[in-house]
Each structure stands twice: as C-alpha cells, then as structure tokens.
Amino acid sequence: MSRDIIICSGLGKTFETSRGAVHVIDHVDLKVQENEFLVLFGPGQCGKSTMINCMAGLEPVTQGSVEIHGKKVVKPGPDRGVVYQRMALFPWLTVMGNVEYGPKVRGISKEERRNKAQYYIDLVGLKGFENSYPNQLSGGMQQRVGIARAYCNEPDVLFMDEPFGHLDAQTRYLMQEDLMKIWEKEKRTIVFVTNNIEEALYLADRIIVMTNCPTNIKKEYEINLPRPRNYVDKEFLALREEISQVVDKAL
Ligand SMILES: Nc1ncnc2c1ncn2[C@@H]1O[C@H](COP(=O)(O)OP(=O)(O)O)[C@@H](O)[C@H]1O
Ligand SMILES: [Mg+2]
C-alpha cells in the first residue's frame, strides 16, 4: 500500500527584497507518495527551484508548511538528497571520495562506506572511474557522480532540479534512460524538476504542471505508460501534445 511521504499544505513563498516582496509560490497543496517518481513541470522562472528548495528545507517557507514523514521541514537533513543542474562536486576529491563523503561525515566506518559507495558507483555506471577527479569527467559523468553521492546517503527523498538541463540532447536521453534503470532497481521517492516535456513524460509516474509565477498547480497527469517508454510511441506523443497545450508560456 502506498502512503504519502511528503505533504505540502498551503505552501507559499514570498521573498522580501530591496525592491519589495516577490510572491513566488502561491498556496500549493501537494502530496507525494512513497517511491513515487513525481515531476514538477513548468515554464522557466515559474518557481520550480523555489518549490524544491522549500521541500528540501534549503529555503524557509513563508506560508503553510511542508511535512516529510509527518515532521515539519525546517532545515536540510540527511533524509533528503539534492541533485542540481551543475553538481558542486569537491574538485580535490576523487569519484570515490565524493560519493563516500556523506557517510564519512556521519562517521560510518571506512569499510562500510567504501562498500556502499562502490555499490552506487557501479549502479550509476562509473565502475573503473573511482580514482578519477571531477575535472577528468564529462558533464554527464559528473551528474552520475552527483546521483551516486545523493543515493549513497540513502535518503528517503531525492530532489532533482533540472539535473540534465545543461547536457547535450544525446547524453540527456542516455541519462534519462539510466536514471530510470537506477530508480527501478533502487526505488526512492523522487521529486524531479524539468521544463522539458519529453523528459517529464519519459520519467514520471505523475506530472504536476505548474503555472507561471506566483506558481500553483495548474493540472496533474498520472502517467501510466509502460516502461521503458518510447519517445515516439503514439500515446506518448498524444500526451506530449496535450500537456504542451496546457502549460503556460514563460513570461
Ligand atoms: N532569493 C530570491 N530572492 C528574490 N527572488 C527570488 C529568489 N529566488 C528566486 N526568486 C524569484 O523567484 C522566481 C522563480 O524562480 P525559480 O524558482 O528559480 O524558478 P524556476 O526554477 O522555475 O526557473 C523568479 O522570478 C526569481 O527571480
Ligand atoms: Mg530552476
């Protein structure tokens, strides 16, 4: 039986700036189920990153609340992992050093954390690159390290903010495919942000279409297409067309 792991109730966010208040998130009610792959899809600058930052506890909410496992989110925590567009990997650490960093900080023994890190390095397809440094890796490989690092903390929820946004189209398809394989093997609750409709449809159990800023939920779609999905499948293309019509044009 699935259950809600994240509950956003009347979630709102207003930034106070020198030029006045900027209202970015407007009363979002949203529940995310355990092991669900949820995609937040919306135009650029609508407030997607702000949503994720509020849910991850990186940014304080100003109205309403976010709860994870029934506990109010007020600050970042090891039960939540974040993967960004450009992973801030530690350039002075190897792939192994980066991936085992979280468990190391938490005091996990060397043998245990190495085993764990190796498992996730293998899972993301970086076997053989354990001793490479980030600047020796391609953009796609760096994102793989970021995913392995986030997974290695074994968080309950993974937040991914346009993690493939800067990759070339070919690498992006490959990363989507591999992320699906990883997720199917190691189920986690994932909240994934994108403004790419194909990416959303390829990955999601459910797509939440966000409005322009101040953002709210415009519409949601359960995506029941079998996996692995095919970008040129008839139903895939029909949904792509439908959702493209619904989403706001970026301001
Ligand atoms: N720290 C901040 N202070 C003021 N305004 C901000 C801040 N962070 C984001 N915003 C504003 O919030 C809006 C949404 O930003 P963001 O969440 O990054 O959108 P998205 O990720 O959908 O592109 C933008 O107009 C942006 O200028
Ligand atoms: Mg963003």
Side-chain angles (χ1 to χ4, degrees):
M1 204 181 74
S2 30
R3 58 196 182 107
D4 297 326
I5 178 167
I6 309 177
I7 301 181
C8 301
S9 313
L11 166 60
K13 177 71 184 177
T14 305
F15 290 103
E16 297 301 337
T17 74
S18 53
R19 287 182 294 146
V22 183
H23 190 43
V24 175
I25 303 175
D26 189 39
H27 201 98
V28 169
D29 290 319
L30 175 66
K31 290 178 178 173
V32 188
Q33 288 186 351
E34 189 152 32
N35 294 340
E36 184 177 23
F37 200 118
L38 184 92
V39 171
L40 299 179
F41 173 68
Q45 297 295 301
C46 78
K48 302 181 295 301
S49 295
T50 306
M51 272 283 292
I52 262 198
N53 290 341
C54 287
M55 290 163 93
L58 297 164
E59 191 71 77
V61 309
T62 48
Q63 296 95 34
S65 65
V66 178
E67 284 181 9
I68 294 185
H69 276 316
K71 270 177 58 188
K72 219 171 200 169
V73 170
V74 286
K75 57 179 176 24
D79 58 328
R80 282 152 279 148
V82 188
V83 179
Y84 299 103
Q85 184 167 126
R86 285 181 198 282
M87 283 310 297
L89 299 174
F90 301 122
W92 61 88
L93 293 179
T94 61
V95 167
M96 176 57 79
N98 270 283
V99 175
E100 70 168 358
Y101 184 80
K104 187 175 176 181
V105 168
R106 283 185 289 119
I108 309 284
S109 76
K110 189 163 176 173
E111 193 190 349
E112 191 184 335
R113 69 176 192 253
R114 283 274 150 108
N115 286 340
K116 209 188 282 272
Q118 189 66 54
Y119 173 79
Y120 288 110
I121 289 169
D122 295 352
L123 187 68
V124 300
L126 286 180
K127 195 180 184 65
F129 291 92
E130 294 81 359
N131 298 317
S132 302
Y133 287 88
N135 68 2
Q136 299 172 312
L137 304 176
S138 69
M141 288 162 90
Q142 291 184 22
Q143 287 311 91
R144 289 174 192 273
V145 180
I147 293 168
R149 186 171 72 178
Y151 256 102
C152 201
N153 280 315
E154 306 195 312
D156 295 331
V157 185
L158 273 167
F159 294 100
M160 299 194 177
D161 191 357
E162 305 201 45
F164 310 143
H166 63 299
L167 301 174
D168 63 85
Q170 207 55 43
T171 308
R172 191 167 185 163
Y173 285 133
L174 203 64
M175 294 296 293
Q176 290 164 9
E177 224 174 277
D178 284 356
L179 176 60
M180 254 310 104
K181 287 185 195 149
I182 294 166
W183 177 74
E184 291 199 307
K185 186 136 189 256
E186 281 278 324
K187 281 278 168 82
R188 285 288 188 285
T189 308
I190 296 188
V191 180
F192 186 106
V193 160
T194 186
N195 65 3
N196 180 299
I197 182 60
E198 278 195 324
E199 184 165 86
L201 276 170
Y202 186 80
L203 298 170
D205 285 325
R206 186 159 55 114
I207 297 177
I208 306 289
V209 180
M210 308 297 299
T211 68
N212 264 324
C213 197
T215 200
N216 198 323
I217 296 172
K218 183 155 193 186
K219 201 159 174 179
E220 61 173 84
Y221 294 86
E222 295 264 356
I223 311 298
N224 295 313
L225 302 175
R227 292 183 168 107
R229 294 178 182 157
N230 184 339
Y231 300 95
V232 291
D233 172 76
K234 231 171 93 187
E235 280 181 82
F236 188 101
L237 291 172
L239 272 166
R240 179 187 152 154
E241 179 62 22
E242 182 180 343
I243 300 174
S244 303
Q245 302 287 335
V246 164
V247 69
D248 291 347
K249 300 273 175 288
L251 291 172

